[in-house]
PDB file of all heavy atoms in Angstrom:
ATOM      1  N   GLU T  71      24.814 197.749 -11.849  1.00  0.00           N
ATOM      2  CA  GLU T  71      24.847 198.718 -10.870  1.00  0.00           C
ATOM      3  C   GLU T  71      26.159 198.600 -10.038  1.00  0.00           C
ATOM      4  O   GLU T  71      26.675 197.481  -9.922  1.00  0.00           O
ATOM      5  CB  GLU T  71      23.706 198.606  -9.924  1.00  0.00           C
ATOM      6  CG  GLU T  71      22.341 198.992 -10.497  1.00  0.00           C
ATOM      7  CD  GLU T  71      21.208 199.007  -9.507  1.00  0.00           C
ATOM      8  OE1 GLU T  71      21.404 198.555  -8.359  1.00  0.00           O
ATOM      9  OE2 GLU T  71      20.084 199.394  -9.849  1.00  0.00           O
ATOM     10  N   CYS T  72      26.601 199.705  -9.456  1.00  0.00           N
ATOM     11  CA  CYS T  72      27.802 199.726  -8.625  1.00  0.00           C
ATOM     12  C   CYS T  72      27.460 200.350  -7.307  1.00  0.00           C
ATOM     13  O   CYS T  72      26.783 201.476  -7.376  1.00  0.00           O
ATOM     14  CB  CYS T  72      28.901 200.465  -9.332  1.00  0.00           C
ATOM     15  SG  CYS T  72      30.477 200.474  -8.389  1.00  0.00           S
ATOM     16  N   GLN T  73      27.774 199.799  -6.225  1.00  0.00           N
ATOM     17  CA  GLN T  73      27.505 200.437  -4.909  1.00  0.00           C
ATOM     18  C   GLN T  73      28.785 201.037  -4.337  1.00  0.00           C
ATOM     19  O   GLN T  73      29.791 200.323  -4.121  1.00  0.00           O
ATOM     20  CB  GLN T  73      26.954 199.382  -3.945  1.00  0.00           C
ATOM     21  CG  GLN T  73      26.690 199.876  -2.544  1.00  0.00           C
ATOM     22  CD  GLN T  73      26.032 198.916  -1.641  1.00  0.00           C
ATOM     23  OE1 GLN T  73      24.908 198.454  -1.909  1.00  0.00           O
ATOM     24  NE2 GLN T  73      26.687 198.530  -0.523  1.00  0.00           N
ATOM     25  N   VAL T  74      28.715 202.318  -4.137  1.00  0.00           N
ATOM     26  CA  VAL T  74      29.881 203.008  -3.563  1.00  0.00           C
ATOM     27  C   VAL T  74      29.552 203.323  -2.097  1.00  0.00           C
ATOM     28  O   VAL T  74      28.593 204.084  -1.862  1.00  0.00           O
ATOM     29  CB  VAL T  74      30.242 204.299  -4.388  1.00  0.00           C
ATOM     30  CG1 VAL T  74      31.461 204.996  -3.793  1.00  0.00           C
ATOM     31  CG2 VAL T  74      30.498 203.949  -5.826  1.00  0.00           C
ATOM     32  N   SER T  75      30.290 202.753  -1.198  1.00  0.00           N
ATOM     33  CA  SER T  75      30.110 203.037   0.277  1.00  0.00           C
ATOM     34  C   SER T  75      30.900 204.203   0.694  1.00  0.00           C
ATOM     35  O   SER T  75      32.049 204.343   0.355  1.00  0.00           O
ATOM     36  CB  SER T  75      30.453 201.819   1.029  1.00  0.00           C
ATOM     37  OG  SER T  75      29.606 200.718   0.745  1.00  0.00           O
ATOM     38  N   VAL T  76      30.202 205.102   1.419  1.00  0.00           N
ATOM     39  CA  VAL T  76      30.838 206.424   1.757  1.00  0.00           C
ATOM     40  C   VAL T  76      30.683 206.642   3.238  1.00  0.00           C
ATOM     41  O   VAL T  76      29.653 206.304   3.866  1.00  0.00           O
ATOM     42  CB  VAL T  76      30.143 207.528   1.005  1.00  0.00           C
ATOM     43  CG1 VAL T  76      30.674 208.897   1.337  1.00  0.00           C
ATOM     44  CG2 VAL T  76      30.232 207.316  -0.500  1.00  0.00           C
ATOM     45  N   GLN T  77      31.694 207.296   3.833  1.00  0.00           N
ATOM     46  CA  GLN T  77      31.678 207.612   5.238  1.00  0.00           C
ATOM     47  C   GLN T  77      31.886 209.089   5.511  1.00  0.00           C
ATOM     48  O   GLN T  77      32.635 209.727   4.768  1.00  0.00           O
ATOM     49  CB  GLN T  77      32.749 206.805   6.006  1.00  0.00           C
ATOM     50  CG  GLN T  77      32.633 205.319   5.919  1.00  0.00           C
ATOM     51  CD  GLN T  77      33.823 204.611   6.548  1.00  0.00           C
ATOM     52  OE1 GLN T  77      34.748 205.257   7.045  1.00  0.00           O
ATOM     53  NE2 GLN T  77      33.771 203.304   6.625  1.00  0.00           N
ATOM     54  N   ILE T  78      31.331 209.599   6.559  1.00  0.00           N
ATOM     55  CA  ILE T  78      31.605 210.932   7.084  1.00  0.00           C
ATOM     56  C   ILE T  78      31.932 210.829   8.494  1.00  0.00           C
ATOM     57  O   ILE T  78      31.012 210.433   9.300  1.00  0.00           O
ATOM     58  CB  ILE T  78      30.508 211.973   6.811  1.00  0.00           C
ATOM     59  CG1 ILE T  78      30.215 212.149   5.309  1.00  0.00           C
ATOM     60  CG2 ILE T  78      30.787 213.363   7.462  1.00  0.00           C
ATOM     61  CD1 ILE T  78      29.125 213.211   5.032  1.00  0.00           C
ATOM     62  N   ASN T  79      33.086 211.068   8.917  1.00  0.00           N
ATOM     63  CA  ASN T  79      33.532 210.851  10.314  1.00  0.00           C
ATOM     64  C   ASN T  79      33.550 212.196  11.009  1.00  0.00           C
ATOM     65  O   ASN T  79      34.084 213.217  10.563  1.00  0.00           O
ATOM     66  CB  ASN T  79      34.992 210.338  10.361  1.00  0.00           C
ATOM     67  CG  ASN T  79      35.394 209.835  11.700  1.00  0.00           C
ATOM     68  OD1 ASN T  79      34.972 210.315  12.733  1.00  0.00           O
ATOM     69  ND2 ASN T  79      36.284 208.871  11.742  1.00  0.00           N
ATOM     70  N   SER T  80      32.761 212.330  12.083  1.00  0.00           N
ATOM     71  CA  SER T  80      32.628 213.563  12.858  1.00  0.00           C
ATOM     72  C   SER T  80      33.966 214.073  13.371  1.00  0.00           C
ATOM     73  O   SER T  80      34.064 215.254  13.735  1.00  0.00           O
ATOM     74  CB  SER T  80      31.633 213.333  13.982  1.00  0.00           C
ATOM     75  OG  SER T  80      32.104 212.484  14.942  1.00  0.00           O
ATOM     76  N   ALA T  81      34.943 213.208  13.469  1.00  0.00           N
ATOM     77  CA  ALA T  81      36.310 213.678  13.927  1.00  0.00           C
ATOM     78  C   ALA T  81      36.866 214.759  12.951  1.00  0.00           C
ATOM     79  O   ALA T  81      37.787 215.505  13.341  1.00  0.00           O
ATOM     80  CB  ALA T  81      37.255 212.503  13.991  1.00  0.00           C
ATOM     81  N   TYR T  82      36.430 214.768  11.717  1.00  0.00           N
ATOM     82  CA  TYR T  82      36.941 215.751  10.728  1.00  0.00           C
ATOM     83  C   TYR T  82      35.955 216.887  10.485  1.00  0.00           C
ATOM     84  O   TYR T  82      36.138 217.614   9.518  1.00  0.00           O
ATOM     85  CB  TYR T  82      37.223 215.052   9.378  1.00  0.00           C
ATOM     86  CG  TYR T  82      38.165 213.860   9.577  1.00  0.00           C
ATOM     87  CD1 TYR T  82      37.677 212.593   9.407  1.00  0.00           C
ATOM     88  CD2 TYR T  82      39.487 213.994   9.870  1.00  0.00           C
ATOM     89  CE1 TYR T  82      38.588 211.484   9.501  1.00  0.00           C
ATOM     90  CE2 TYR T  82      40.352 212.927   9.993  1.00  0.00           C
ATOM     91  CZ  TYR T  82      39.897 211.693   9.810  1.00  0.00           C
ATOM     92  OH  TYR T  82      40.692 210.654  10.039  1.00  0.00           O
ATOM     93  N   VAL T  83      34.860 217.005  11.306  1.00  0.00           N
ATOM     94  CA  VAL T  83      33.860 218.025  11.095  1.00  0.00           C
ATOM     95  C   VAL T  83      34.001 219.135  12.165  1.00  0.00           C
ATOM     96  O   VAL T  83      33.976 218.884  13.345  1.00  0.00           O
ATOM     97  CB  VAL T  83      32.427 217.385  11.183  1.00  0.00           C
ATOM     98  CG1 VAL T  83      31.348 218.470  11.053  1.00  0.00           C
ATOM     99  CG2 VAL T  83      32.289 216.340  10.191  1.00  0.00           C
ATOM    100  N   LYS T  84      34.185 220.385  11.677  1.00  0.00           N
ATOM    101  CA  LYS T  84      34.335 221.529  12.559  1.00  0.00           C
ATOM    102  C   LYS T  84      33.015 221.932  13.154  1.00  0.00           C
ATOM    103  O   LYS T  84      32.836 222.078  14.356  1.00  0.00           O
ATOM    104  CB  LYS T  84      35.008 222.689  11.843  1.00  0.00           C
ATOM    105  CG  LYS T  84      35.265 223.831  12.770  1.00  0.00           C
ATOM    106  CD  LYS T  84      35.867 225.083  11.991  1.00  0.00           C
ATOM    107  CE  LYS T  84      36.118 226.230  12.897  1.00  0.00           C
ATOM    108  NZ  LYS T  84      36.769 227.395  12.199  1.00  0.00           N
ATOM    109  N   ASP T  85      32.025 222.143  12.269  1.00  0.00           N
ATOM    110  CA  ASP T  85      30.688 222.536  12.756  1.00  0.00           C
ATOM    111  C   ASP T  85      29.698 221.529  12.253  1.00  0.00           C
ATOM    112  O   ASP T  85      29.747 221.098  11.090  1.00  0.00           O
ATOM    113  CB  ASP T  85      30.298 223.908  12.092  1.00  0.00           C
ATOM    114  CG  ASP T  85      31.257 225.056  12.507  1.00  0.00           C
ATOM    115  OD1 ASP T  85      31.546 225.119  13.750  1.00  0.00           O
ATOM    116  OD2 ASP T  85      31.737 225.833  11.695  1.00  0.00           O
ATOM    117  N   GLY T  86      28.797 221.144  13.150  1.00  0.00           N
ATOM    118  CA  GLY T  86      27.838 220.104  12.853  1.00  0.00           C
ATOM    119  C   GLY T  86      26.838 220.597  11.782  1.00  0.00           C
ATOM    120  O   GLY T  86      26.589 221.763  11.616  1.00  0.00           O
ATOM    121  N   PHE T  87      26.398 219.589  10.989  1.00  0.00           N
ATOM    122  CA  PHE T  87      25.476 220.028   9.877  1.00  0.00           C
ATOM    123  C   PHE T  87      24.622 218.824   9.486  1.00  0.00           C
ATOM    124  O   PHE T  87      24.909 217.640   9.779  1.00  0.00           O
ATOM    125  CB  PHE T  87      26.227 220.505   8.679  1.00  0.00           C
ATOM    126  CG  PHE T  87      27.009 219.490   7.916  1.00  0.00           C
ATOM    127  CD1 PHE T  87      26.510 218.868   6.711  1.00  0.00           C
ATOM    128  CD2 PHE T  87      28.245 219.029   8.379  1.00  0.00           C
ATOM    129  CE1 PHE T  87      27.266 217.903   6.083  1.00  0.00           C
ATOM    130  CE2 PHE T  87      29.005 218.094   7.779  1.00  0.00           C
ATOM    131  CZ  PHE T  87      28.579 217.493   6.557  1.00  0.00           C
TER     132      PHE T  87
END
Side-chain angles (χ1 to χ4, degrees):
E71 291 185 353
C72 182
Q73 177 175 299
V74 181
S75 296
V76 178
Q77 299 175 358
I78 299 180
N79 193 331
S80 64
Y82 305 110
V83 178
K84 181 179 180 180
D85 299 314
F87 69 100

